[in-house]
Amino acid sequence: DGQVSSVSVQQLIEQISYVNKAKMIDHVGGVEEGAYEIYNCVEKMIKQDILGCEITDLEGKDLGNKEDSTAPEEEVFGDVLWDAHDEQEQMEAFQQASNSTCELGFEKYFERLNDLVAAPAPIPPLLVSGGPGSGKSLLLSKWIQLQQKHSPNTLILYHFVGRPMSTSSESALIIKRLTLKLMQHSWLVSPLTFDPAKLLEEFPRWLEKLSARHQGSIIIIIDSIDQIQQAEKHMKWLIDPLPVNVRVIVSVNVETCPQAWRLWPTLHLDPLNSKDVKTLISAECNSANVKLTKEQEKKLERHCRSATTCNALYVTLLGKTIACVGNTGNIDEILQRCCQCQDTVSLYRLVLRSIQESLQSDKEKGLLREILCVIGVSHNGVSESELIELYPELTSAVLASLLHSLHRMCLLTYGCGLLKFQHLQAWEMVKLEYMEADENVISAYRQKLVEYFTMQLRILIFICFSFNSQDRVTWRSADELPWLFQQQGDKQKLHKCLLNLFVSQNLYKRGHFAELLSYWQLVGKDKSSMAAEYFDSLKEYEKSSEGEESMICLADLYETLGRFLKDLGLLSQAVAPLQRSLEIRETALDPDHPRVAQSLHQLAGVYVQWKKFGNAEQLYKQALEISENAYGAEHPRVARELDALATLYQKQNKYEQAEQLRKKSFKIRQKAARQKGSLCGFALLRQRALQLEELTLGKDTPDNARTLNELGVLYYLQNNLETAELFLKRSLEMRERVLGCEHPDCAQSLNNLAALYNEKKHYDKAEELYEKALDIRRRALAPDHPSLAYTVKHLAVLYKKMGKLDKAVPLYELAVEIRQKSFGPKHPSVATALVNLAVLYCQMKKQIEALPLYERALKIYEDSFGHMHPRVGETLKNLAVLSYERGDFEKAAELYKRAMEIKEAETLLIGGKATSRHSSSGDTFSLKSALSPNAFLEHGQR
């Protein structure tokens, strides 16, 4: 009821208020509403604060254009492929590293690190060295916190390398992540290669370029850099002179530091002195209310004097061990056992055996062994739910008890929701204790995981084909299966796994380009043969693709392949899959859909690299036009297209045009950044704003009606259709009372409600509301107004969906008129509208009316794009079908031949053609075929 319910809650709120970057959700209302608010807030925090997502400004936006919520996620980041899990893993690694409350006399080291930042350039990287468990990660994380607090203008980029062979230790991913973080902070939008060799080669140039744009110092910190695979080879940029405002700090273990790096300035962490040892152990004992005698303290002090027994990890583990048994066991006995352990690995063994002894049955001891072993042989860890599925006899209660003990004693930790070893020494101990470093035993546990994730993959694919879902592979299957096959040396199964299109798509779209490429290299395939195999797999998959959802999914797969081939430098082979993706999206969605703009943008990018600037310019302009129509002129996606065009003009030495576009783009991005703000609890805050407005201004006002409309849009975008309907209805009713039924704002509310009913498949209601909105907008707005065009388009599509083709015709005709008034009679957008109308006439068996429309569209496409453009080929093919149906077989053959020449010019470059029964650009239509050409036309809609 809006009151703090207890003293403990009050204390919690007070604690939270002191935590850095904490966010509180203050909610009054039902439990389900509260849970829903929390979910939305967390989702927005992840998108905005972690990923740096630009949130769409909803003000005054029509719901009728619902493509806003269906654009591909990576579009938010431009062409950047970003893995949320990798970023989350780094945040958690930083938090875990800085978790200790003991500073361990770090002040002297802080001063040395501060001196490095203040020293005049040029200066080589600073090496922070020490033995395993000496506190290097803790030192760096604590210093980062101090720098963030006292030097807000300093940009700190950090990377904590985890276990060797894990994702966090892959050099290409590290460099990509650092580059993208720099780009994010400098607002630079520029294509970035994902070829691992080029990425590593180009990083110094990126660092120079991006550091020049940053007002202040840049500090790059890489912890445990010696754990990176082939660190010396892949981190060559460290040897080059650094930009004047860049400082680099890396930490290494003394034993594994590359020889060439030992000449750098070094900060070596000394062993803990007796005072630090006592402080650490006392802190652990005090937390468990355990008191040590003077004699016991002296015994510990004498023991912790060697290099291996006075490091931070060993002493922390020692303190936890004593504290754990202090209240229930004999402290002198445990001290005696601890003193026999002369290094961290042997102390971990003692900890594990203590946990085993506390278990009540052999069954639990066996489960403990299984849990630790499968976590150890995995790529990035195992989740709790996966463990329960792997071992059906493992109950939640037993698992919770085991994990509590293992986490408390620093054996396991969590990262991205996965259980993994907290320290490398813990995993080394498990190998020695349970596996005796036997490769056969390790291989058997890997095989268990292989069987599990293979089964998960089969289940997911079955579910997706049964229920028409696109989420065919989880990131877990994609992360673990190929890596496990690689570790097992099973090239045949690895090859088969890579040809699962959804596994490869998942890895690529999350930016794991280098990993995917390394797997193909292992199976002995060069880039060209890999491309051909993927293309063949896609063509096979296309044969079984039916229905709109499957075709949209297919288009995504073709686009992923095209982008992958572009990144590999196989430009000629990248064109065909990207072109196929464009064709499918135009057919399955709508020629003006934002995903079509995405296809156009990607295809243009290939032509830019190929130096076919004329082709690229036309495609970018089309993408820009679609984005402006879909999102409005000041949306970040519009800025993306402007930047792409500016880069293109710069390459052609058209500097004045490039500068104009860049300025326009910068203003859009600047405005978006200002609006970004904190969206935590946004819907709730808008509700409160509305309550306040109603109290101060009275209930019926235009502003309140607008706020109600925006709330409806918000809930619609969250897929909460019932709540959205309530707000949109209230908005409409208030606008009708205050402004009158004929006001354009009422048309907006009607349009939004119609879109909502269309989403709920209440087509009759949607039809009635769209018709009212159209009637108002026709009278109130200019003939070429965008809002009028949106309502016309969506009502026309609805009529077509309902089979009311006679009603759809005048609207498609009106769409042609509007586009002619907006863009002129010879614009490609007009040609698209003409083709849409022609397709409708063909569905109505009115081929005579369709023919001049196709011919006019063909002329516009040829004049705009040239005689060999794919749009020309598509239109020629449709004209061929019309001629065939009218009995003019000679003309049909001639037109079809021309269409195929255009098609082959694009697709022969990859050694195969993409065939489809669903697109007018497919090769299934044959003049000699016994199949009815009507089937072709039905699927060939544009």
Side-chain angles (χ1 to χ4, degrees), residues 835 839 842 851 854 872-884 895-896 899 920-921 936-937 940-942:
V835 170
V839 167
C842 287
L851 182 61
Y854 274 133
V872 174
E874 293 160 14
T875 313
L876 284 167
K877 194 180 289 186
N878 286 333
L879 277 168
V881 173
L882 282 180
S883 299
Y884 182 83
L895 292 167
Y896 192 76
S920 64
S921 300
F936 169 75
L937 249 185
Q941 295 170 17
R942 282 290 181 273

Side-chain angles (χ1 to χ4, degrees), residues 542 545-547 551 580 587 916-920 939-941:
E542 185 168 355
S545 296
E546 293 184 1
M551 295 307 292
R580 186 75 191 107
T587 304
S916 172
R917 292 173 286 114
H918 301 271
S919 170
S920 64
H939 292 294
Q941 295 170 17

Side-chain angles (χ1 to χ4, degrees), residues 221 262 295 307-308 358 427 435 520 566 625 657 730 736 748 789 832 838 849 880:
I221 296 171
R262 294 176 186 264
E295 188 59 36
T308 55
S358 69
W427 168 226
M435 301 179 174
W520 277 104
K566 182 182 80 170
E625 179 194 321
Q657 288 171 273
R730 283 185 62 194
E736 286 178 339
Q748 184 192 50
T832 303
E849 288 88 339

Side-chain angles (χ1 to χ4, degrees), residues 100-158:
S100 174
T101 53
C102 298
E103 296 285 321
L104 304 176
F106 281 166
E107 288 80 6
K108 58 184 178 183
Y109 302 131
F110 290 157
E111 289 177 15
R112 180 73 188 277
L113 292 168
N114 291 337
D115 290 343
L116 169 84
V117 176
I123 185 168
L126 176 70
L127 207 64
V128 177
S129 73
S134 58
K136 301 182 292 294
S137 302
L138 177 62
L139 168 67
L140 291 175
S141 60
K142 292 288 185 185
W143 186 71
I144 288 170
Q145 288 179 329
L146 287 172
Q147 285 292 314
Q148 288 172 336
K149 183 178 179 181
H150 298 300
S151 305
N153 290 331
T154 300
L155 173 60
I156 300 178
L157 306 178
Y158 60 79

Side-chain angles (χ1 to χ4, degrees), residues 753-782:
L753 267 172
L756 184 139
Y757 287 131
N758 189 28
E759 183 78 12
K760 294 172 78 172
K761 296 185 169 48
H762 297 169
Y763 298 132
D764 291 337
K765 286 185 178 179
E767 179 186 6
E768 181 187 349
L769 295 172
Y770 271 137
E771 285 175 347
K772 284 184 180 178
L774 179 61
D775 187 49
I776 294 169
R777 285 179 164 171
R778 264 181 158 163
R779 289 198 300 271
L781 302 176

Side-chain angles (χ1 to χ4, degrees), residues 609-805:
Q609 287 189 29
W610 214 352
K611 301 199 184 315
K612 294 190 174 184
F613 298 136
N615 297 42
E617 183 177 3
Q618 290 292 345
L619 293 170
Y620 277 140
K621 283 180 175 178
Q622 288 178 63
L624 176 62
E625 179 194 321
I626 292 170
S627 297
E628 285 180 333
N629 287 337
Y631 302 114
E634 296 189 338
H635 194 277
R637 287 189 177 92
V638 172
R640 173 197 182 199
E641 303 306 338
L642 291 169
D643 281 321
L645 266 171
T647 303
L648 176 65
Y649 287 143
Q650 196 163 343
K651 287 179 183 291
Q652 297 173 280
N653 299 326
K654 298 177 181 178
Y655 299 114
E656 191 175 335
Q657 288 171 273
E659 186 59 26
Q660 286 175 352
L661 294 176
R662 285 205 194 284
K663 284 179 179 176
K664 193 174 176 183
S665 166
F666 182 76
K667 284 180 181 176
I668 294 171
R669 292 184 184 278
Q670 202 172 36
K671 184 178 178 183
R674 281 199 300 268
Q675 290 170 345
K676 197 171 173 180
S678 172
L679 294 183
C680 178
F682 186 71
L684 185 61
L685 291 172
R686 295 306 299 242
Q687 276 183 302
R688 288 186 175 169
L690 178 62
Q691 289 163 2
L692 287 172
E693 285 182 28
E694 287 178 343
L695 285 172
T696 55
L697 303 174
K699 290 188 177 180
D700 283 3
T701 68
D703 284 341
N704 279 349
R706 174 180 49 79
T707 307
L708 284 165
N709 180 69
E710 289 175 3
L711 279 164
V713 171
L714 264 175
Y715 281 113
Y716 177 92
L717 293 174
Q718 295 165 13
N719 209 30
N720 186 349
L721 301 184
E722 302 307 318
T723 308
E725 185 178 355
L726 290 173
F727 280 114
L728 291 173
K729 279 183 173 178
R730 283 185 62 194
S731 172
L732 175 61
E733 290 164 3
M734 190 179 291
R735 280 173 165 171
E736 286 178 339
R737 284 195 302 270
V738 176
L739 302 169
C741 297
E742 300 301 313
H743 195 278
D745 285 1
C746 294
Q748 184 192 50
S749 293
L750 289 164
N751 202 75
N752 290 351
L753 267 172
L756 184 139
Y757 287 131
N758 189 28
E759 183 78 12
K760 294 172 78 172
K761 296 185 169 48
H762 297 169
Y763 298 132
D764 291 337
K765 286 185 178 179
E767 179 186 6
E768 181 187 349
L769 295 172
Y770 271 137
E771 285 175 347
K772 284 184 180 178
L774 179 61
D775 187 49
I776 294 169
R777 285 179 164 171
R778 264 181 158 163
R779 289 198 300 271
L781 302 176
D784 58 347
H785 196 282
S787 294
L788 176 60
Y790 281 134
T791 306
V792 167
K793 182 176 80 171
H794 288 287
L795 181 55
V797 171
L798 180 64
Y799 281 149
K800 199 170 171 186
K801 191 186 293 184
M802 297 171 75
K804 298 183 177 182
L805 303 185

Side-chain angles (χ1 to χ4, degrees), residues 38-90:
I38 291 165
Y39 178 89
N40 286 328
C41 290
V42 172
E43 183 181 40
K44 285 169 184 169
M45 283 190 282
I46 290 168
K47 285 182 177 177
Q48 181 179 348
D49 298 343
I50 298 177
L51 302 179
C53 232
E54 291 171 333
I55 307 298
T56 304
D57 179 25
L58 297 163
E59 182 140 357
K61 197 71 181 167
D62 259 12
L63 225 96
N65 181 30
K66 70 183 179 91
E67 289 91 346
D68 280 18
S69 59
T70 57
E73 278 185 29
E74 65 267 20
E75 256 190 66
V76 177
F77 309 104
D79 291 327
V80 171
L81 299 169
W82 187 275
D83 189 1
H85 294 286
D86 291 348
E87 193 60 24
Q88 182 187 343
E89 183 180 47
Q90 284 304 306

